[in-house]
Amino acid sequence: MSYSSFIPPQRTLMGPGPSDVSARVLSALARPTIGHLDPQFITMMDEVKGLLQYAFQTQNEYTIALSAPGSAGMEACFVNLVSAEDKVVVCRNGVFGARMIENVQRIGAELVVVDGEWGRAVDPQQLEDALKQHSDATVVAFVHAETSTGAKSDAKTLCQIAQQYDCLTIVDAVTSLGGIELKVDEWGIDAIYSGSQKCLSCVPGISPISFSDKAIDKLKARNVPVQSWFLDQSLVMGYWSGDGKRAYHHTAPVNSLYALHESLVMLHQEGLENSWRRHQRMHDLLATGLEALDLHFIVPAAERLPQLNAVTIPEQFDDAKIRSYLLNEFNLEIGAGLGQFAGKAWRIGLMGYAARKENVALCLTALQEAMQNT
Ligand code: PLP
C-alpha cells in the first residue's frame, strides 16, 4: 500500500457548517508553529480574548477559546455550572436543545423540558409558565440559533425571564455568533458557547466560551469537583488568565488559534453590526431566489435565521440525488435535514465568508439546474 498527500476538492460550503474559510484565514493556519507557552503566543492568546469579548459584546474576564468543537463548549457550560442539586429548565425546539437535555441527564440534575415546535422560536410564555411552576429552578438553557431548523429565538427576552426567576442562563450561540445580533452583557447571559466553523468562518475544532462573574462564582462555590478534568474551567483558567504567566494545562491547537485570531480580526475590521447586516442582506437575496424556484421556508419570516435557510423539499425531488448533483456538478455543498426534518428539508447556510453575492447566485443557479436535471 502506498499513500500520497490528501488534496481536497475546492468546494463552496453552504451547508450548516463548516462554512467557507477565506484564503486569509487558511494562510494564517500555515504560519510556523511556535510553542504554546511562547511569550508571543501568549500575547496572541490575549488578543483572541479581547477579540472574542468584542464578538460576544461582553466585558466578561473569562472569555476564551476552548480547544475543542462546539459540543465541548456545550458540555463545558453544563459540567461546570450544573451539579446534581440543580434544577435545570431546557427549552427544546430542535436537535441541539435535545443535546442539552442529555447533558443535564448525564449530570443527574433535575430536568424540566420546555418543548416547542420544531421550526419555531422558543416561546417565552412557555418558559415563563415553566418557571412559575418550578420556582426552585436554578438554570435556564436554550439555543439562540437552532441549526437543525433555522429558527432564531429571542435570547434577550428569554434571559430577562430567567433573571426574574433568579436563574443562571446557558446559551448556545454556535450558529449565531457573528451572524445575528448577540449582546451577552446587555442581555444578561451568564454562560455562552459558540463554534469556530460557522459565522466566524474559521476551521472547525474550537469553541469560544464566555462566563459571567455570577457563573464563575457558581463554579468556585461547587462542593464537588467538575467530573471532566479536561473541561474543568477552574483548571483551564490558569492557562488562559494571568499577567503574562500561564500554567500548562493542555497543548493548545496553536495553528488553529492563529486561524481563529485572523477570522476575528476580519470580523473586527468589517465591524460586528456590518457583519450582521451582510448576513441579512444575503439572506434576503437568497430568499427571493428560493421562493422564485418554488422552494418554501420552514420557519416563519420573523423567526428566521439569515445564516441558516431551511426549505421544504418538494415531493417530486429526491433529496440525495439533488445534493449529489450540486456536489458533483458545482462543487457546492448544501445541508440535508436533521432530526425530524431528515429527508424533508434542505439547509442552506450563509455563514461568515460564505455569505457573499456570488455564493447566493451559484446556489440558485445550481439548484435550478439540479431540479431540472434529476
Ligand atoms: N450547537 C449548535 C446549535 C450547532 O449547530 C452545533 C453544530 O452544528 C453544535 C452545537 C455542535 O458543534 P460542533 O459540531 O462544533 O461540536
Side-chain angles (χ1 to χ4, degrees), residues 16 69-72 74 96 99 143 145 147 172 174-175 193 197-198:
S71 306
M74 179 188 286
F96 295 99
R99 287 195 183 174
V143 179
T147 327
D172 179 317
V174 170
T175 287
Y193 58 93
Q197 78 278 25
K198 310 273 188 180

Side-chain angles (χ1 to χ4, degrees), residues 36-57:
H36 73 123
L37 292 171
D38 185 308
Q40 293 208 30
F41 187 70
I42 287 169
T43 304
M44 193 216 64
M45 282 169 82
D46 286 338
E47 285 193 16
V48 167
K49 283 167 69 176
L51 287 160
L52 283 176
Q53 285 173 326
Y54 169 71
F56 276 128
Q57 293 287 282

Side-chain angles (χ1 to χ4, degrees), residues 114 116 121-128 153 158:
V114 173
V122 171
D123 179 1
Q125 189 59 53
Q126 266 186 281
L127 172 62
E128 178 136 31
S153 288
L158 295 173

Side-chain angles (χ1 to χ4, degrees), residues 13-253:
L13 299 181
M14 296 182 73
S19 60
D20 276 348
V21 180
S22 66
R24 188 169 154 184
V25 170
L26 286 176
S27 68
L29 195 69
R31 286 176 195 146
T33 304
I34 59 174
H36 73 123
L37 292 171
D38 185 308
Q40 293 208 30
F41 187 70
I42 287 169
T43 304
M44 193 216 64
M45 282 169 82
D46 286 338
E47 285 193 16
V48 167
K49 283 167 69 176
L51 287 160
L52 283 176
Q53 285 173 326
Y54 169 71
F56 276 128
Q57 293 287 282
T58 184
Q59 300 295 318
N60 286 344
E61 180 59 30
Y62 198 64
T63 302
I64 66 148
L66 209 70
S67 307
S71 306
M74 179 188 286
E75 193 149 343
C77 289
F78 282 94
V79 295
N80 283 275
L81 303 175
V82 176
S83 44
E85 309 87 81
D86 281 300
K87 184 167 188 174
V88 186
V89 180
V90 178
C91 305
R92 169 171 58 186
N93 61 341
V95 166
F96 295 99
R99 287 195 183 174
M100 287 178 152
I101 289 173
E102 286 194 46
N103 272 276
V104 175
Q105 287 167 333
R106 281 168 191 245
I107 291 165
E110 203 178 329
L111 172 69
V112 177
V113 179
V114 173
D115 251 324
E117 197 183 326
W118 279 50
R120 297 299 307 266
V122 171
D123 179 1
Q125 189 59 53
Q126 266 186 281
L127 172 62
E128 178 136 31
D129 292 346
L131 287 170
K132 267 189 199 138
Q133 213 188 323
H134 300 276
S135 54
D136 53 343
T138 47
V139 179
V140 166
F142 64 88
V143 179
H144 186 203
E146 200 17 286
T147 327
S148 61
T149 68
K152 170 178 66 178
S153 288
D154 180 352
K156 182 180 180 181
T157 303
L158 295 173
C159 287
Q160 264 166 6
I161 295 169
Q163 281 152 19
Q164 280 162 21
Y165 290 84
D166 214 14
C167 288
L168 202 85
T169 46
I170 296 179
V171 178
D172 179 317
V174 170
T175 287
S176 59
L177 184 69
I180 50 170
E181 185 183 31
L182 171 61
K183 296 184 170 175
V184 168
D185 288 357
E186 202 180 304
W187 298 352
I189 295 170
D190 291 301
I192 191 159
Y193 58 93
S194 187
S196 48
Q197 78 278 25
K198 310 273 188 180
C199 295
L200 299 180
S201 271
C202 180
V203 290
I206 299 182
S207 177
I209 61 168
S210 183
F211 285 6
S212 69
D213 290 346
K214 205 165 125 197
I216 296 288
D217 289 346
K218 183 157 189 198
L219 168 58
K220 288 190 172 155
R222 286 180 69 99
N223 42 35
V224 274
V226 172
Q227 72 259 32
S228 161
W229 181 87
F230 182 67
L231 293 176
D232 183 344
Q233 297 306 293
S234 59
L235 304 178
V236 177
M237 227 167 254
Y239 182 50
W240 274 91
S241 322
D243 277 338
K245 255 189 124 205
R246 302 291 155 88
Y248 165 67
H249 176 263
H250 63 279
T251 308

